[in-house]
Amino acid sequence: MDESHRYSNILIHPTLHSFHAKLYLIKLHQLRKRMDNYHITASIKDEIALALGYDPKKPPVQVDDRDAANVLGVKTSTLAVWRSTGRYDLPYMKVGRLIRYRVSDLADFLAKFTTTKTA
C-alpha cells in the first residue's frame, strides 16, 4: 500500500496512468449504479405483486391495462393516451384488442422515476 494511491476507496497501482484510473472509476460508478437500479427494480416488482394480490415469489409475467393502471395510480384512459401519443416509453403488448404490460416493464418504468434526492 506504500506505492499505491487511493481513489474513492479503491486501490490503484501507481503505474496506472491517471486517465485510465479516472476511466476505471467512471466504469465502476456506472456498474454500481446499474446494480442499485437492479435492486430497486426487484423491490418494485415485489411491491407490484403484493399490490395486485400475488405472491412476490411467483409474480405474474404480464398484467392487463386495468392492473397496470392500478399499479401506476392512473386511469386506464390515461394509459390509452400514453400509448397513442407515445408520451412515455412504457412498453406494452397488443394481441388483438387485448393490451398487456410486463410486470418487469412496469417496475423499470417506476424505477426510472424513483429518486432519493430532491435537489
Side-chain angles (χ1 to χ4, degrees), residues 65 69 73-80:
D65 57 343
V74 298
K75 295 180 181 180
T76 54
S77 59
T78 301
L79 286 178

Side-chain angles (χ1 to χ4, degrees), residues 3-115:
E3 293 185 13
S4 298
H5 299 285
R6 239 182 225 285
Y7 292 97
S8 182
N9 298 328
I10 304 294
L11 290 176
I12 298 177
H13 197 271
T15 59
L16 190 60
H17 190 270
S18 66
F19 170 77
H20 294 291
K22 289 177 185 176
L23 184 62
Y24 174 79
L25 291 176
I26 289 170
K27 293 291 184 184
L28 183 63
H29 177 71
Q30 290 171 346
L31 178 63
R32 284 182 181 164
K33 190 171 181 179
R34 276 193 302 241
M35 291 302 293
D36 289 344
N37 287 343
Y38 172 79
H39 292 297
I40 290 170
T41 301
S43 68
I44 291 174
K45 279 185 192 178
D46 291 345
E47 291 174 19
I48 290 171
L50 285 173
L52 297 177
Y54 293 98
D55 180 9
K57 295 180 182 178
K58 295 181 181 179
V61 175
Q62 56 189 9
V63 295
D64 62 9
D65 57 343
R66 286 177 300 191
D67 286 341
N70 184 23
V71 165
L72 297 174
V74 298
K75 295 180 181 180
T76 54
S77 59
T78 301
L79 286 178
V81 169
W82 290 358
R83 286 191 305 269
S84 66
T85 62
R87 178 171 183 172
Y88 293 106
D89 185 24
L90 179 58
Y92 65 94
M93 296 173 285
K94 186 169 182 172
V95 180
R97 62 181 179 87
L98 300 176
I99 304 295
R100 298 285 184 251
Y101 291 89
R102 287 186 201 97
V103 173
S104 59
D105 291 337
L106 292 172
D108 290 340
F109 180 77
L110 290 170
K112 280 194 281 188
F113 294 102
T114 300
T115 183

